[in-house]
Every structure is written in structure tokens, then in C-alpha cells.
Amino acid sequence: MAIVTGRTNGDTGGGDTAGTPAPADTGIPASAGAGQGPARAVSEPGRIRQPVALIRLLTGLIAIALTLLLADYARATTGGIAADVAEAAELVPRPLAGLAGGLTTAAVLLVPVVLAARRLLGPDRRRALQQVSDGLLAAVLAYGATLLLDLWADGVAPVSLLAALTQALPGGALGHTEPVYGYLAPVLAFMTASGNREHRAPWAVLALSGLAGLAGGYATPTALLLGLLIGWTGAHGTLYAVGTPDPLPRPGEILRALRESGLHPAEAHPAGPDRYLVRQADDRPDLDVQLLDRQAVTAAAVQRAWRRLRLRTAPHPRALRSPRAGLEHEALVTYAALAAGVRTRRIAATAGLGQDTALIAYEHLPGRTLDRLPDEEITDDLLADAWRQLARLQRRETAHRALVPSSLLVDATGAVHLVDFADGDIAASELVLRCDIAQLLTTLALRAGAARSVHTAVTVLGADTVEAALPLLQPIALARTTRHALKHTARPTAAARTDGPAGPGPDEAAAGGGGLLEEIRAEVLRTRPQAEVRPVRLERLRPRTLLAVVGGVVAGWLLIPQLFAAEDNPISAVADADPAWLALALLAAALSHVTAAMGFVGFVPERLDFRNAVLAQLAGAFVKLVSPGGVGGIALNTRLLQRAGIPTAQALSSVGVGQLIGLVLHLLQLGAFVYLLDLQPGGSELDALPAVVGGLAGAAALLAVVSAVPPARRWLAARLRPLTTEVLPRLLDLLRSPARLAVGLTGQLLVSICLIGCLYCCTRAIGREPSFASVAVVFLVGNAAGNVAPTPGGAGAVDGALIALLQQTASMEKGGALAAVATYRLLTLILPVLPGWAAMTWLQRRRAL
């Protein structure tokens, strides 16, 4: 639950949700904070840019764009609504409508004056003056935006949009109403930017003014909605541009709230971001006060919602709730921990500070967090005590979710206290509880080493419990700061990796996690060699799946309208295609998988099962749906080599050699077919060869510029280092086997020829007769665009490039190009999906993948 501001550098466990409070400085001496002054020494509040303002600005802009699109494309609906409103307005007597319009207009103009006076006459005049100035700036910008939109609608926008936004003036007057009902935009902008959103009277005046405009016939519903959206969006744009006064309460307000809660605070000293150490009178115990504000709630909402959508172990999206709800949740989990016998801070008071802020006060607990302890004080007894505290939580099915070093507080006696339960859960699932164990294993291993962390965990929790958490030991299940620390931890030595039972296999190595996680796994396997180490899949939605969906939507958006809008309907052309040419195209598409396997195994010195290699290329057709360009095929081939017993470094080198030679052959083929194309009658008009030469010259010039800049040169050298250290030595090994190298080169050449032949047969099947050279140039250029595009299978990029190039290079009309490309993509992308899935399943069952 995100309950602190974005100014903290906190952490959460079990899925890295944002917003856990930063570590409290629980060992502040009595003189701490004296240099910063007590609570009564108040400084002028600064300005901050709140992420919520940016989120609302983007939301408003999208809403305005959607409103304009719907007004233009859904003219029947918007026109019907406007007609119904106009018909209802005719029932209102004209004098009464005019009187209501005049009165509400005057009231609307008075609203900013009244609100500004109320603010300036309040107790905090400095902050009020800042807010009023922000409101005036937002009002001016909103009014300017309405004028610009009016001018655009009258002069530039389509006539259909202007008709949807306006209507004839009432009373038979000439002209039409304004496209945007501009009276409301500046008033709403002022109300929002000046912090007067909570008052009901101004909202009532705005509502009455809008109804009067509709009743009088001076506005359409769409124009009224645009006015409100522009005012709201302009306000938040202003607030994000200039910043807002820090909404957090001042120390004096905190002391007043604590007194009203029955405590006796004397002074408050800052103790960290949004934290205070409060001294009490009469030698009463000090207090650790944590502020919970709405800014952090909104700032973390998008990230937490994404984490919740993506991860099975992410906390519930409480970031969408109010700070008071966050306070109640933290207090509830803290009381549950106390009831379970866990050592933690006791809650002294909770209080609300307006609608946007709340506070929770704990009894001060002197001590140091785990990250501040010297190494010699981290004993096995301390580690075991930390595990005992977690065991008590686990028995009550309570999860902490953020067992980072700042959440483990060690007092003067060496006893461990668990603090910061903001992200905790009661009645937690078994998966979440095991994530807590995995997190604490890693946290303690970072300070004390994997062996001591695992040994104390097994001693306290038992080997079975620790073994059950092993599949959760993966970076995605850990907190952000923990992952950052793992990246800066040295990898284990060769002895550490080879000593003891077999370390993690390719599955867990692929899951990542660094050397320390491998050490932890190895230590657990020493105790339980039969333990299951395959990582549990924690992701509900993977980014590549989302990318596949987006790519499919984009491809459909681009292609489907063209399919039905073309004069020569490509669907009809495909239906009437020549069956003989279609059969040849299907045969060429099928042979491409065999030749791809030849091009793959030819660059692997080790002996491979050719049948598995062919099936892996077929499985690549299925992987294309969830990976961009050729990334999926590279990963699939590397995995096949790993399962065949080839070390990862050599497997990557073999795949890299094939990709490098494939690129060189691709360029050579392109140059050859461009040359053949220029030799054809009329080919000189295409100027294809000069274009290719110019492109290569431009690339060479770019490489020269990059090489001349030292930072860019170092970046390029870092990217090319794997090529010189791994790929080129592998290529030298292949030169010792000319027969295998010939198979690889032949396969790389034939796979392009097969796919070119498939596209050529598709064009002939629909009755077009382009030259083979022109189709080859089209395919080679379009395929390169597909490998660069980030969409799965090159969706959108390949299709658009092939259609455009067939029209330009092969002189085909748009309908024929669409039909040929649609047929080609059907044979090479859609039809192989089901056989590819079957091939991938078969290889996985045989443990070849």
C-alpha cells in the first residue's frame, strides 16, 4: 500500500510495489534535530511537482481528444442527444431561460472573487496567496485554450465536427453557438488550481450555469462537456508546470493533532522523509510520527495497478484508497503482529489532518536498523531471532511484504523488532508467506552470507519450510532495493558454484537473480538435495504478451480498413486465387523451415538431431506471436543448444555466428537482386542501386562519426566486444569443417529464396505477374523492417513495408498488393501457429527445449 509521498526512497516486497515508508531513524538522540529547529520554528512551504497532476493532465487531454473524435464520428448519437436537449429546452419559457442565464452567468463570474477572498482572509495567507495566484494563472490559460479551440473549430476543423459542436442561436438570430462553452472553463480551472474543490456551493453554481446554457440554447451538451474538460485539464497542467505548495502539514499542525488525541507533545524534529521524532512533556516516551498523504496514494497508483495486473503476489491496489484507509490498514496489521507476539513498535495515536493527510504515531523504540549494524554485531543469535519473529507472523498467516534491512530494528540488547507494516497483509496466501521467507533469506544473506542465512532459517523454521520457499527465490519476487543490492554483489567463485550438490539448472539461471541467489539455492540443496528449484511463475501478464496484444491491435487497425476500402477488394482476390500457385506458395513456406534448420545446424560444430532442429524452427512460428522480430527465434535456438548439452557461452556464440553470416548474406542478396532489377527494362527509372549504395554510405558515415566521439566509441566497443571475444573464435572453429559450413551457408541462402518464392507465388496466384527480382527486393527490405520492429512477428511493420514496396517496386496496384501480402502472411505467420505450438510441446516433453 502506497501511503507515503514520492519523496521517499522506500521499498516493498513480494512484487516491488512503490511507496513503503523510508526507514525511520529510530536512534535519534535527545539533541537530534536541534539544528533544524523545533516544531514552532516553521519555514515557508516549498513547491513540489505532484505526479498526480501529470496523470490528471494526461487523462484530461485524452478525454478531450476522445470527445472530439466521438463528436465527429458518432454524429448521429451526439446529434440525437443535442436534439433531445433542444426539444426539452423549448418547454422552458424564453424570458425565464434568459433570466436564469443572466443570473447564473453573474454568479459564475463572482465565484472566483468569493473563493479568493475567503482564501486570503484565512489564517495561512502566504499559502493562500500562492494558491490564488495559481488559480488565476490556470483560469487565464483555460480561457485562452477555449478561444484557440473555438478558432480551430471555426476555421480548420472539419465541417462535420463544427456541426456536432454547435447549433443555431436561439430566437432566430444569425450565426451559431460557440464550439466550447467557455464561461465554465476558467472558473473550474480557478477552483481546481486554488484548492477550492471541496466547497459545494461553487459546484452548484457551475451546474446551474450549465443547465441554464442548455435551456437557453446557448450551448450543446458536447460544448458544455468540452468547457468542463478544458478547465479541469488546464488547472492540472498549471499545477504540474509551476508546482504546488507542499501539502504536508507543518509541525505545529502535527503537535495540535497529537494533543487532540490525548498525548502531550512538546516539540517535533524531522527524522526522515515525512517522519518526525516528537518529544513529549513530563518525561513521557518519545513518539515516531509517520505522515500519510494523498500525493503518494496517487503517485503510486499507476505503478501498483500495473504490478497487481502483472504479478500474482502483488498487494491489493490499496493505493487507490484514501490516506485514512491506508492508516487504518497499517494499524490493523500492526495490531495483528502484536497479537501474534511479534516485537514491534506500539501505536500511540492515529489522527486525520484534513482530507488529504493522516498520521500514525508509534512509541519511540531506540535502536538501529539492520543496514546500520557493523558486521561484527550480526551474530547467528541475531539472525535466528529475526527468523523467530517471522515465524510468529507466519503462524498467524500475517505477511510483512517488505522485509528489507530498514524493517529490521535491533535494540540495545540485540533483540530484533519488525517495523513498517504498511504493506502487510492478514490472512495472507501461502504464496505470499513464502515470498516473505525468500525476501528475508536474501536480506540476511546480503549482510551475513548465504550459508549463515540458510543455516539459521533451517534451524528456526525447519528444512521443509525453507525448501518450500526456494521456488520463490527469484528477483521479481524481491524488493527493489534488494534487486539493486544483488546487482552490485560479486558473483560466487568457481569453488562456491561447484562445491556441494548440483547448482541451479538452466531454468533458474534463466530466471536471473545473480550469484548470491545461486549461493542460497546451493546452500538449501546441501540440506535437501531433492528440493524443487524450478521457479514458480509469478507473472500473470508478461510484457511480451501485452506487446503481442498491442501489436495485433495495431496491425488490425492498419490492415483491416485497407482490406475493405480498396477498390480491388483483396478478400475477393484471395478467394479467386489460382490453386496451383497457392500450392507452390504453401510448399515454399514449408520448405523454409527445413532450410532454416540447415542454416542453424551448419554453424554448430557439435552434432545435433536434425529433426529437433526442424521442429525448433517450426516452433519459432508460434514464438513469433509473443516476441518481437527475430528475438524469439534466437532464444529458442539457444535453448535447444543448451538442452543438447552445449554450454551457454558456446550456444550463444553459435547462434551469433549464424545471425552474423545471415546478415552478410542478406545484404549480398539484396545487392544482387537490386543489380538484376536495374538491368531489367525500365529498371533504371527505379534508381534502386544508387539508393542502396547511398544507404550503405550513410551507415558508414554514421559509424565514422560514432567512432570519432569517445563516449560513443566506448559504447560501440562494449557492444562489439562479445562479437570479437565469442563469435569470431567460434567462426574460426567452423572454418575447420568446410562441409558443415557449406551446409550452413546453403541453408541461409535457401531460406531467403524459399520465402521470396512464397511471396512471388502469392502474387502470381492472384493474377499479377511481377518480376522475381522485384519481389526479392521487396521481401529483403520488408523482412529487415520486420526484424527491427518491436511488434510480435513484425506485425504492422512487415505488412506496411511489403504493401508499399510492392506498389512502388513491383508496380502493383494497392488492392493486388494487399491481397498478395495478406496471402503471404496467412501462409507464413498464421497457418504455422498451430503446428508450431504442437512442435514446441513435443520438444518440451522430450526435454529438448
Side-chain angles (χ1 to χ4, degrees):
M1 167 182 293
I3 53 175
V4 297
T5 68
R7 294 179 288 274
T8 63
N9 295 321
D11 237 321
T12 56
D16 184 24
T17 54
T20 304
D25 193 352
T26 54
I28 298 178
S31 61
Q36 298 169 348
R40 49 185 175 271
V42 178
S43 61
E44 182 178 355
R47 283 183 173 267
I48 58 175
R49 284 190 174 91
Q50 297 185 353
V52 58
L54 177 60
I55 294 172
R56 291 174 177 172
L57 169 63
L58 297 177
T59 303
L61 293 175
I62 293 173
I64 292 172
L66 290 177
T67 302
L68 292 173
L69 286 174
L70 290 175
D72 192 18
Y73 289 98
R75 291 187 293 272
T77 302
T78 55
I81 295 175
D84 293 339
V85 172
E87 184 178 352
E90 293 178 356
L91 302 177
V92 181
R94 182 58 50 191
L96 180 60
L99 178 61
L103 292 176
T104 54
T105 300
V108 165
L109 295 178
L110 288 175
V111 163
V113 179
V114 175
L115 294 178
R118 179 168 179 164
R119 282 284 181 185
L120 295 175
L121 295 177
D124 193 352
R125 296 186 180 180
R126 289 185 177 181
R127 180 175 293 184
L129 183 60
Q130 290 180 340
Q131 291 177 329
V132 170
S133 62
D134 293 343
L136 291 175
L137 177 60
V140 171
L141 293 178
Y143 187 67
T146 59
L147 292 180
L148 290 176
L149 191 56
D150 284 341
L151 292 175
W152 174 78
D154 283 328
V156 181
V159 178
S160 58
L161 178 60
L162 181 63
L165 296 178
T166 61
Q167 62 186 11
L169 289 172
L174 298 177
H176 56 75
T177 59
E178 296 294 333
V180 181
Y181 196 58
Y183 294 102
L184 303 184
V187 178
L188 179 58
F190 179 87
M191 289 173 51
T192 304
S194 62
N196 289 282
R197 300 186 302 272
E198 67 273 14
H199 299 297
R200 296 181 180 179
W203 286 104
V205 172
L206 285 179
L208 291 175
S209 178
L211 292 175
L214 293 175
Y218 294 100
T220 62
T222 308
L224 181 62
L225 177 61
L226 281 176
L228 295 174
L229 288 175
I230 290 175
W232 188 79
T233 305
H236 291 293
T238 303
L239 292 177
Y240 186 74
V242 303
T244 57
D246 196 335
L248 289 180
R250 300 185 183 185
E253 301 175 45
I254 296 173
L255 295 180
R256 184 165 54 252
L258 292 176
R259 292 190 189 101
E260 293 175 355
S261 300
L263 301 177
H264 301 79
E267 59 182 14
H269 302 283
D274 308 327
R275 291 176 181 265
Y276 288 87
L277 177 65
V278 177
R279 306 292 187 188
Q280 292 201 84
D282 303 330
D283 295 329
R284 297 174 185 269
D286 296 338
L287 303 173
D288 290 322
V289 176
Q290 171 67 51
L291 299 180
L292 320 173
D293 70 276
R294 186 178 296 275
Q295 177 192 349
V297 168
T298 311
V302 174
Q303 181 182 5
R304 295 178 66 86
W306 163 244
R307 300 292 296 182
R308 181 63 184 170
L309 178 66
R310 183 184 177 192
L311 295 180
R312 296 164 55 196
T313 57
H316 293 283
R318 302 184 192 93
L320 302 178
R321 301 180 184 176
S322 66
R324 187 177 297 274
L327 180 149
E328 294 171 353
H329 177 79
E330 182 173 353
L332 175 64
V333 181
T334 302
Y335 284 130
L338 288 170
V342 177
R343 286 194 293 268
T344 187
R345 299 176 298 185
R346 294 185 177 275
I347 298 176
T350 58
L353 298 171
Q355 295 184 348
D356 294 335
T357 311
L359 66 82
I360 183 168
Y362 295 96
E363 293 181 0
H364 179 64
L365 183 62
R368 292 168 294 171
T369 54
L370 184 65
D371 52 345
R372 298 182 179 181
L373 287 179
D375 292 340
E376 58 270 14
E377 295 187 25
I378 302 179
T379 63
D380 286 350
D381 290 339
L382 186 147
L383 300 179
D385 191 28
W387 285 113
R388 282 192 290 270
Q389 303 308 307
L390 178 61
R392 293 172 182 173
L393 273 182
Q394 299 259 319
R395 282 196 293 269
R396 295 294 184 93
E397 296 184 351
T398 302
H400 188 285
R401 287 186 175 271
L403 289 170
V404 293
S406 60
S407 299
L408 277 68
L409 184 67
V410 182
D411 62 18
T413 65
V416 177
H417 302 253
L418 301 185
V419 297
D420 294 340
F421 284 91
D423 286 286
D425 264 337
I426 58 175
S429 66
E430 181 66 24
L431 196 64
V432 173
L433 295 177
R434 286 191 286 162
C435 277
D436 265 3
I437 298 176
Q439 174 64 61
L440 189 57
L441 272 172
T442 311
T443 297
L444 298 182
L446 285 168
R447 289 305 316 269
R452 295 174 61 193
S453 175
V454 173
H455 173 71
T456 52
V458 171
T459 302
V460 176
L461 302 180
D464 292 339
T465 303
V466 177
E467 175 191 346
L470 198 57
L472 277 300
L473 198 66
Q474 47 185 302
I476 198 172
L478 304 177
R480 185 191 308 113
T481 54
T482 305
R483 295 198 302 267
H484 180 75
L486 288 173
K487 291 180 180 179
H488 294 81
T489 301
R491 295 188 62 83
T493 61
R497 289 194 301 267
T498 58
D499 192 17
D507 291 329
E508 53 271 21
L516 184 61
L517 296 187
E518 295 177 6
E519 288 188 15
I520 296 174
R521 293 188 186 99
E523 289 297 331
V524 176
L525 289 172
R526 292 177 192 272
T527 306
R528 303 297 293 266
Q530 74 279 10
E532 174 63 41
V533 296
R534 183 183 296 273
V536 173
R537 179 177 175 179
L538 299 178
E539 293 175 293
R540 283 196 182 98
L541 176 65
R542 296 186 178 183
R544 64 185 186 184
T545 305
L546 182 62
L547 187 61
V549 174
V550 173
V553 171
V554 171
W557 180 272
L558 294 176
L559 291 178
I560 292 177
Q562 299 183 51
L563 292 176
F564 294 97
E567 295 180 1
D568 187 3
N569 193 322
I571 297 179
S572 301
V574 172
D576 298 334
D578 188 339
W581 283 108
L582 278 180
L584 289 176
L586 181 60
L587 178 61
L591 288 176
S592 67
H593 300 293
V594 179
T595 56
M598 292 174 56
F600 168 59
V601 300
F603 298 109
V604 181
E606 294 79 8
R607 185 177 181 83
L608 294 177
D609 188 335
F610 187 73
R611 179 185 57 180
N612 288 349
V614 174
L615 292 176
Q617 309 315 305
L618 183 59
F622 174 72
V623 176
K624 283 183 181 179
L625 295 180
V626 290
S627 62
V631 175
I634 294 174
L636 200 67
N637 290 334
T638 304
R639 181 63 173 166
L640 182 69
L641 295 180
Q642 288 176 329
R643 281 298 192 179
I646 299 175
T648 302
Q650 298 180 15
L652 290 171
S653 300
S654 296
V655 175
V657 168
Q659 293 293 315
L660 177 63
I661 294 181
L663 174 62
V664 173
L665 293 178
H666 188 96
L667 293 176
L668 292 176
Q669 285 178 296
L670 178 60
F673 282 113
V674 165
Y675 179 74
L676 293 176
L677 183 61
D678 284 341
L679 292 180
Q680 294 178 0
S684 58
E685 298 178 0
L686 298 173
D687 296 328
L689 184 58
V692 173
V693 174
L696 294 176
L702 180 61
L703 181 62
V705 172
V706 170
S707 301
V709 180
R713 183 172 62 249
R714 288 192 294 269
W715 177 86
L716 182 62
R719 297 303 183 273
L720 294 178
R721 190 173 295 115
L723 177 66
T724 58
T725 58
E726 298 178 2
V727 175
L728 292 182
R730 190 71 163 172
L731 183 58
L732 293 177
D733 291 340
L734 286 172
L735 293 177
R736 300 173 183 174
S737 178
R740 184 172 293 273
L741 184 61
V743 171
L745 292 173
T746 303
Q748 291 280 11
L749 288 171
L750 288 180
V751 66
S752 297
I753 296 299
C754 287
L755 293 176
I756 293 171
C758 179
L759 180 58
Y760 176 76
C761 292
C762 290
T763 60
R764 295 300 302 268
I766 62 170
R768 309 308 189 269
E769 297 183 1
S771 66
F772 189 84
S774 63
V775 174
V777 171
V778 167
F779 168 80
L780 293 171
V781 176
N783 189 60
N787 287 329
V788 174
T791 56
V798 169
D799 310 285
L802 292 179
I803 292 170
L805 290 170
L806 282 176
Q807 292 180 261
Q808 179 182 2
T809 306
S811 301
M812 293 178 61
E813 77 286 358
K814 186 175 183 179
L818 277 169
V821 172
T823 307
Y824 169 75
R825 297 289 273 175
L826 175 67
L827 297 178
T828 58
L829 183 65
I830 305 302
L831 288 184
V833 168
L834 187 57
W837 171 81
M840 189 170 185
T841 303
W842 190 83
L843 290 173
Q844 287 176 335
R845 288 181 178 178
R846 292 179 57 88
R847 299 187 179 275
L849 277 182

